Amino acid sequence: MHHSTLLSFVLHRKETMGIVGETGAGKTTLALSILQLLPERTGQITQGDILFDGEELTKYTDADMRAVRGERISMIFQDPMTSLNPVLTVGKQIAESLALHNSTHRTKEQIEARVDELLELVGIPAQRKNEYPHQFSGGMKQRVVIAIALACDPELLIADEPTTALDVTIQAQVLAMMLKLKRELGTSMIIITHDLGVVAETCDSVAIMYAGEIVEIGAVEDIFEGPCHHPYTAGLFASIPDLDVASDRLSPIEGIMPDPTNLPNGCKFHPRCPYCTDICRSVPPVDTVIHNGHLIRCHKIAQERKVQA
């Protein structure tokens, strides 16, 4: 079954973009597309451009991409337990990443010194480098994974649900640490999450994804405080508790994300949308510009803007 979607966004240098959506929205697929790590049999890039620092990544060979991955673009996966090799010490695993991308021809001693520096950078005493992953807590393991991702000073860091496997207190610590590092190192970041709290704390801009498409995108202020939203974005916010408002129950979005191999016609959100009309069932909506950089893909919004204009 062949099914394709088209996504479009721009990430500026030193900026952090949040990509938000339910499980199955296509957030991880988007990240894997940038790194060209899509599973061979089930996914491929059929059209479009991925421009990184002016270079067209879709034209790169596998060898070219291996030089980009880990060195210029790094990814942190959601589960630190599966990202680390259980039989190698954490120091060896960081050193391996440095040796793999050793364009500056560091000596063994320099690599060891860099391992110590990276561990200290993520808040782990350097003397723990000879320990194995099972000797670290979940939060500490995720710090090791981040140290590996930062080993080569990447220009872009993609963090896929980096704190999902951690408890809330540790989550907050890891996020604060990532923000501090981003400021110090000047890295651009894409944070993939379904947690709007994470976005509020860390991001400059936000893309809301639904069924493989970006349905709303804008600066973090527009998404959190703007008067105008896609019905899906409004639904996501309605399903979060508000400390200032007493309510008996939250209002989740009815229904589930559609099967990616059998997407509805028209607007992909229409089966779950309280404002659905005939046009929504048949015609895919296009982006409506709310103001500079804030775009919403929705017939209802397009209609309202037309009336206002």
Side-chain angles (χ1 to χ4, degrees):
M1 173 72 194
H2 171 70
H3 170 70
S4 67
T5 54
L6 211 53
L7 287 160
S8 181
F9 67 90
V10 176
L11 176 71
H12 299 289
R13 277 187 193 279
K14 300 189 180 181
E15 183 181 82
T16 298
M17 172 176 271
I19 297 180
V20 182
E22 292 165 282
T23 304
K27 307 185 296 289
T28 302
T29 304
L30 167 61
L32 295 177
S33 302
I34 296 171
L35 288 169
Q36 290 178 45
L37 288 172
L38 287 168
E40 266 175 47
R41 291 182 185 80
T42 54
Q44 63 188 91
I45 298 167
T46 55
Q47 56 179 324
D49 309 311
I50 299 172
L51 291 171
F52 176 63
D53 206 4
E55 296 162 41
E56 174 53 274
L57 294 187
T58 56
K59 303 273 189 289
Y60 273 28
T61 63
D62 284 352
D64 291 338
M65 274 312 294
R66 277 197 293 276
V68 170
R69 271 186 229 121
E71 187 158 350
R72 300 181 61 202
I73 305 177
S74 251
M75 186 155 172
I76 301 166
F77 293 92
Q78 46 189 305
D79 189 357
M81 319 299 164
T82 53
S83 303
L84 293 169
N85 185 334
V87 298
L88 286 183
T89 65
V90 299
K92 275 220 173 72
Q93 293 185 61
I94 301 171
E96 199 173 45
S97 173
L98 289 163
L100 199 65
H101 300 282
N102 196 2
S103 51
T104 51
H105 307 295
R106 288 187 172 102
T107 62
K108 256 198 164 123
E109 290 72 30
Q110 285 170 323
I111 284 179
E112 278 307 306
R114 177 72 177 144
V115 168
D116 292 357
E117 187 187 325
L118 283 160
L119 283 169
E120 296 283 354
L121 190 68
V122 296
I124 296 174
Q127 61 264 33
R128 294 197 67 185
K129 69 179 173 186
N130 298 323
E131 293 178 23
Y132 291 86
H134 73 267
Q135 294 171 276
F136 291 82
S137 66
M140 283 298 194
K141 278 197 192 80
Q142 192 59 300
R143 286 168 185 260
V144 173
V145 169
I146 293 166
I148 293 170
L150 293 172
C152 300
D153 288 329
E155 294 156 61
L156 170 61
L157 187 60
I158 301 173
D160 186 4
E161 305 267 9
T163 58
T164 303
L166 311 174
D167 70 59
V168 182
T169 329
I170 307 298
Q171 249 184 23
Q173 289 175 7
V174 169
L175 277 175
M177 183 203 76
M178 281 172 69
L179 273 182
K180 175 171 164 277
L181 293 176
K182 177 196 167 266
R183 278 195 299 270
E184 286 172 9
L185 306 173
T187 317
S188 304
M189 249 166 49
I190 293 175
I191 294 186
I192 294 169
T193 181
H194 55 256
D195 185 334
L196 286 159
V198 167
V199 171
E201 282 177 53
T202 54
C203 298
D204 304 304
S205 59
V206 190
I208 308 283
M209 268 187 90
Y210 185 81
E213 291 186 351
I214 290 174
V215 295
E216 180 167 4
I217 189 166
V220 74
E221 298 79 24
D222 294 330
I223 304 298
F224 278 80
E225 288 159 19
C228 194
H229 292 297
H230 189 282
Y232 179 60
T233 310
L236 287 178
F237 278 102
S239 54
I240 306 173
D242 185 334
L243 295 179
D244 303 323
V245 180
S247 61
D248 294 336
R249 53 177 307 158
L250 300 172
S251 42
I253 304 167
E254 297 297 325
I256 55 165
M257 181 81 62
D259 173 351
T261 62
N262 185 22
L263 291 168
N265 293 331
C267 170
K268 294 181 174 65
F269 185 59
H270 87 250
R272 301 173 72 186
C273 183
Y275 309 105
C276 171
T277 61
D278 285 346
I279 190 172
C280 306
R281 295 186 186 96
S282 52
V283 181
V286 293
D287 288 333
T288 300
V289 178
I290 306 305
H291 68 87
N292 185 22
H294 185 194
L295 308 174
I296 300 176
R297 191 173 290 186
C298 170
H299 288 300
K300 172 180 176 276
I301 301 290
Q303 202 55 45
E304 286 171 4
R305 304 299 286 184
K306 215 177 271 176
V307 171
Q308 284 172 14

